[in-house]
Amino acid sequence: MILSRAKPAIQPQTQSVTASTVDKKRKVPKLEHFISSRDYTGAITLLEFSKAIGKFDNDTRLWLGYTAFHLGDYRKAMETYQLILSESNAESIVHLYLASCYFFLGMYKEADEEAQKGPTCKLQNRLLFHLSHKFNDEKRLMGYHQNLQDVIEDQLSLASIHYLRSHYQEAIDIYKRILLENREFLAINVYVAMCYYKLDYYDVSQEVLSVYLQHFPDSLIAVNLKACNHFRLYNGKAAEAELNTLSEKTTTSFRFAEDLIKHNMVVFRGGEGALQVFPRLLDVVPEARLNLVIHHLRNDDIVSAFNLMKDIEPSTPQEYILKGIVNATLGQEQESRDHLKIAQQYFQLVGGSASECDTIPGRQCMASCFFLLKQFDDVLIYLNSIKGYFYNDDIFNYNYGQAKVATGAFEEAEEILLMIQSEKLKNEYAYLSHLARCFIMNKKPRMAWDLYLKMETSSESFSLLQLIANDCYKMGHYLHSAKAFDVLERLDPNPDYWEGKRGACIGVLQQILANEESKDSLREVVSLLRNTSNPQVEYIIRIIKKVGYL
């Protein structure tokens, strides 16, 4: 700031300063100087000054549009080009400049109409090429693709379309070929780094990015990408620390990415402020909608998440995945087979695609697809291949443990389920029932019974009792089976529960006779029997007394 200078701008001089020497030193910067140094704020200031003093010819207006566009002020650039085109002597190339402004403002229909008015040239072809992608017009896209030439601008345009279509390796190949012949094009390293980021090679992305950051440490886009890499490699705090340095390095010239930074800060902070930031960025930052959906899912607002995604036609793996997750979650909550079928299809599309089949999200999708199909052996093939990346991940272990239970690997399942730390997950019935089954199958029926005792009376606790009663009976843990059937019988006088309890009590007696159970258990068995008013009770108790254990 001018008010905080530490040193005077002009040093005291012993010699007298003449007007001629001052004139030699005071030279008005030229527009070419600002443009070559990419100081677009300075360039606009100079152009606005020229306008204020009446020197505002057609060239000046063109430069004003150019500088506003490169500063990211697309609205101002648009208004400038519209003003130029309102005059009869405007060059037709200005239609393409205006179309470019419309494109960056998301006004694709207007951009297409304006581009068609411009001259046939490489710029027009590139612009229409990108618009075809936005319109999902594959036939038209391929037509403009054929018109691309082996020049840097066209090849960069092709690489960007590959990137937008998730063909990251193809984009990398083009960028590397250009870099090989043009080492001075340092910004291309950022594009390569972005591709590696999308391929989940965060360490490689960081290494490539450092080449550019050594020359331009205040680049907002590069520092933002570095922060995203840190978020993936480390945590949100490390990422946030990187973005915080931007306020010290960057100037107002970089306001064009202010929304992106706000968006990423919310992500890095674990969703803090999501409902304040994401909704107004839905049509500005493409990821804002997806992250708002994730926020709703994490807060169990499934309907809001579904409403955000229901009208979206997915075009990226992330969109397909989220459509799958939203449909799967809603399907499970509403017991809708249709939603579950849609979810399974989305997961299969991603997991089976050539670009995603060997990525971690791709394998997660195939695991989810087979999970919904209840083909758990196939689920484990995919989860086993990526478990090293999710050792302490509660959600992964939750699903992994369930798949292990379904395939009968109870010892491994118990170990995996006990690693889960989330209290929310640990209170879910699916978790409790799978862990209880593991305890029973691993000869720890008492621990399964303790899980029930910690639950409040509800339909879920009733279901867990049924599981304990039947699984314990199946595994020969008759005492705990009898206890469970006794509680079930008192809650619901169903004859089946008496028959189960009766069989379990006789099973305890057989185990005592075979010295497999303590004699002390018999008193508890008799107590359980007497809770039932059935003529068979006294007959069974007489047999027990006859055996001589009472």
Side-chain angles (χ1 to χ4, degrees):
M1 295 290 290
I2 293 175
L3 296 177
S4 59
R5 281 190 181 276
K7 295 192 292 184
I10 301 174
Q11 295 294 335
Q13 297 180 9
T14 54
Q15 299 178 5
S16 60
V17 181
T18 64
S20 62
T21 58
V22 171
D23 288 338
K24 288 179 181 177
K25 292 180 179 179
R26 291 168 63 188
K27 290 184 178 179
V28 178
K30 292 186 177 181
L31 179 63
E32 291 80 357
H33 167 74
F34 288 122
I35 298 297
S36 62
S37 61
R38 296 180 179 178
D39 183 359
Y40 300 116
T41 303
I44 284 181
T45 304
L46 181 61
L47 290 165
E48 293 286 4
F49 175 75
S50 298
K51 179 181 177 182
I53 62 174
K55 295 180 179 179
F56 198 57
D57 55 17
N58 194 54
D59 282 346
T60 305
R61 279 184 290 191
L62 284 170
W63 277 117
L64 184 61
Y66 176 90
T67 51
F69 182 89
H70 282 78
L71 192 59
D73 191 347
Y74 305 117
R75 188 175 297 277
K76 182 172 183 176
M78 175 191 72
E79 292 168 353
T80 303
Y81 291 132
Q82 285 174 336
L83 182 63
I84 295 171
L85 285 169
S86 66
E87 299 178 358
S88 58
N89 61 343
E91 296 179 60
S92 60
I93 190 73
V94 180
H95 287 289
L96 297 181
Y97 300 158
L98 178 57
S100 298
C101 296
Y102 285 145
F103 181 88
F104 279 95
L105 288 168
M107 302 164 65
Y108 302 125
K109 183 180 177 183
E110 293 84 350
D112 191 54
E113 291 172 357
E114 205 64 37
Q116 300 288 356
K117 298 175 186 176
T120 302
C121 60
K122 295 187 184 72
L123 174 58
Q124 186 199 47
N125 188 73
R126 290 195 297 272
L127 189 51
L128 293 172
F129 182 47
H130 276 271
L131 284 166
S132 299
H133 169 73
K134 292 296 183 184
F135 295 142
N136 291 318
D137 190 334
E138 195 71 16
K139 183 178 179 181
R140 181 177 154 179
L141 180 99
M142 295 310 296
Y144 291 117
H145 182 195
Q146 290 172 359
N147 295 334
L148 294 175
Q149 299 178 20
D150 192 16
V151 295
I152 289 174
E153 293 86 354
D154 282 8
Q155 289 303 302
L156 287 174
S157 188
L158 176 59
S160 68
I161 290 292
H162 278 310
Y163 178 90
L164 293 170
R165 290 161 72 93
S166 303
H167 302 157
Y168 303 117
Q169 191 56 57
E170 290 87 341
I172 289 172
D173 293 341
I174 294 173
Y175 289 138
K176 284 187 173 180
R177 189 171 67 248
I178 295 173
L179 268 176
L180 207 60
E181 299 170 0
N182 305 272
R183 297 276 183 191
E184 70 277 13
F185 290 179
L186 295 172
I188 293 179
N189 287 287
V190 180
Y191 306 152
V192 175
M194 290 175 73
C195 291
Y196 280 124
Y197 174 84
K198 289 290 188 177
L199 288 169
D200 298 337
Y201 296 133
Y202 308 117
D203 48 352
V204 179
S205 173
Q206 197 76 337
E207 186 179 342
V208 175
L209 188 63
S210 64
V211 176
Y212 183 79
L213 282 171
Q214 286 171 7
H215 294 84
F216 303 101
D218 62 343
S219 166
L220 186 146
I221 297 298
V223 173
N224 177 65
L225 179 55
K226 183 180 179 182
C228 292
N229 279 324
H230 279 205
F231 178 66
R232 297 294 187 179
L233 289 168
Y234 310 113
N235 52 47
K237 286 188 176 180
E240 190 178 344
E242 286 297 327
L243 281 191
N244 285 333
T245 63
L246 285 174
S247 59
E248 303 167 8
K249 293 179 180 179
T250 58
T251 67
T252 53
S253 303
F254 296 95
R255 289 286 171 85
F256 72 93
E258 190 175 9
D259 288 335
L260 177 65
I261 300 304
K262 286 181 180 178
H263 169 275
N264 286 353
M265 275 294 196
V266 173
V267 176
F268 297 158
R269 290 169 179 167
E272 181 183 327
L275 296 179
Q276 289 73 43
V277 175
F278 290 158
R280 66 182 185 82
L281 298 179
L282 290 182
D283 299 317
V284 181
V285 180
E287 291 82 0
R289 180 179 297 273
L290 305 186
N291 282 316
L292 183 57
V293 170
I294 293 169
H295 177 78
H296 286 317
L297 288 172
R298 285 177 174 169
N299 289 277
D300 296 325
D301 190 354
I302 300 165
V303 174
S304 294
F306 179 78
N307 289 336
L308 276 171
M309 291 300 295
K310 66 180 180 181
D311 296 326
I312 298 297
E313 278 299 324
S315 59
T316 66
Q318 292 77 19
E319 289 171 347
Y320 277 103
I321 291 169
L322 268 182
K323 287 277 277 191
I325 292 171
V326 167
N327 276 283
T329 309
L330 191 67
Q332 288 173 328
E333 186 178 78
Q334 298 181 354
E335 297 183 358
S336 166
R337 299 176 76 103
D338 290 339
H339 283 300
L340 292 174
K341 179 66 176 176
I342 292 168
Q344 179 257 316
Q345 289 171 343
Y346 279 129
F347 290 139
Q348 191 167 13
L349 276 172
V350 177
S353 68
S355 61
E356 296 297 315
C357 62
D358 288 326
T359 66
I360 292 172
R363 294 188 179 192
Q364 285 177 297
C365 282
M366 285 310 296
S368 300
C369 169
F370 286 122
F371 204 107
L372 293 174
L373 292 171
K374 302 187 186 303
Q375 298 176 17
F376 294 103
D377 286 324
D378 294 317
V379 171
L380 289 176
I381 290 172
Y382 287 95
L383 293 186
N384 283 332
S385 71
I386 58 174
K387 66 180 180 180
Y389 299 95
F390 297 97
Y391 183 74
N392 290 318
D393 188 289
D394 282 349
I395 299 293
F396 179 85
N397 287 329
Y398 187 53
N399 293 320
Y400 194 34
Q402 290 182 68
K404 287 286 187 182
V405 170
T407 55
F410 297 109
E411 289 185 11
E412 290 178 76
E414 179 185 334
E415 184 181 342
I416 292 164
L417 290 171
L418 289 174
M419 289 171 65
I420 294 172
Q421 299 297 313
S422 167
E423 290 301 322
K424 179 184 173 185
L425 291 179
K426 287 163 76 172
N427 286 321
E428 288 192 4
Y429 175 74
Y431 174 84
L432 293 168
S433 61
H434 280 82
L435 185 58
R437 177 156 286 164
C438 288
F439 285 147
I440 293 167
M441 298 301 170
N442 294 333
K443 301 180 180 180
K444 302 172 185 176
R446 176 59 187 269
M447 295 179 76
W449 183 249
D450 288 343
L451 285 178
Y452 162 72
L453 292 178
K454 291 175 184 177
M455 293 181 73
E456 295 181 4
T457 302
S458 65
S459 60
E460 290 182 349
S461 65
F462 190 84
S463 296
L464 187 64
L465 267 177
Q466 290 178 312
L467 183 148
I468 292 171
N470 290 302
D471 278 12
C472 281
Y473 196 101
K474 190 189 304 179
M475 292 299 295
H477 306 313
Y478 295 119
L479 180 60
H480 287 92
S481 176
K483 286 182 179 181
F485 276 124
D486 179 62
V487 178
L488 286 169
E489 186 187 26
R490 280 184 279 158
L491 293 171
D492 178 13
N494 187 322
D496 290 342
Y497 296 142
W498 157 244
E499 290 180 11
K501 183 168 79 169
R502 180 186 63 191
C505 289
I506 294 172
V508 174
L509 178 60
Q510 287 179 327
Q511 288 178 330
I512 291 171
L513 291 171
N515 294 319
E516 295 173 0
E517 182 69 60
S518 169
K519 295 178 184 178
D520 297 335
S521 302
L522 214 51
R523 294 188 182 279
E524 192 170 359
V525 166
V526 171
S527 177
L528 293 174
L529 286 168
R530 284 181 171 154
N531 286 334
T532 304
S533 55
N534 188 299
Q536 295 178 356
V537 169
E538 292 304 320
Y539 177 73
I540 296 170
I541 291 175
R542 278 201 304 273
I543 292 175
I544 293 172
K545 287 180 178 179
K546 201 171 186 180
V547 172
Y549 287 110
L550 286 177

